[in-house]
Amino acid sequence: MNWDQIEGNWKQLKGNVKQQWGKLTDDQLDVIAGKRDQLAGKIQEAYGQTKDDVEKEIDDWQSKQNESSWSDKNTHGH
């Protein structure tokens, strides 16, 4: 799933984001609104991680969204 798709489906994906980064509040997730740079900044603030670490975590999370079954459309194959 590319970032445009994540941004477009942010409402559905917010729960997945919260599972991954539980310190982020619903208000923060609304402010982030699917913007990757906003997400990275909020994660850095909440967890005190470096930008590089956060970017790697987001990449890992993003790749998992391709495999997740939140949408039935593209759940089979890669």
Side-chain angles (χ1 to χ4, degrees):
M1 182 176 294
N2 67 37
W3 202 263
D4 286 341
Q5 291 170 304
I6 289 173
E7 199 172 327
N9 292 288
W10 187 248
K11 282 191 169 73
Q12 294 95 311
L13 289 167
K14 277 198 297 192
N16 295 14
V17 174
K18 230 178 157 170
Q19 279 184 326
Q20 180 75 29
W21 296 286
K23 289 185 182 180
L24 299 182
T25 66
D26 289 331
D27 285 348
Q28 286 175 313
L29 293 173
D30 288 339
V31 168
I32 292 164
K35 303 280 188 280
R36 187 184 169 116
D37 57 336
Q38 288 277 336
L39 177 61
K42 298 294 184 200
I43 294 168
Q44 276 182 271
E45 284 173 30
Y47 290 88
Q49 292 174 283
T50 65
K51 188 168 177 20
D52 286 345
D53 285 347
V54 170
E55 288 293 338
K56 185 180 181 320
E57 277 190 17
I58 293 173
D59 284 342
D60 290 345
W61 177 84
Q62 182 179 353
S63 68
K64 286 182 192 144
Q65 300 320 298
N66 291 327
E67 299 159 17
S68 82
S69 58
W70 68 271
S71 165
D72 289 336
K73 285 182 190 145
N74 298 314
T75 52
H76 303 295
H78 291 283

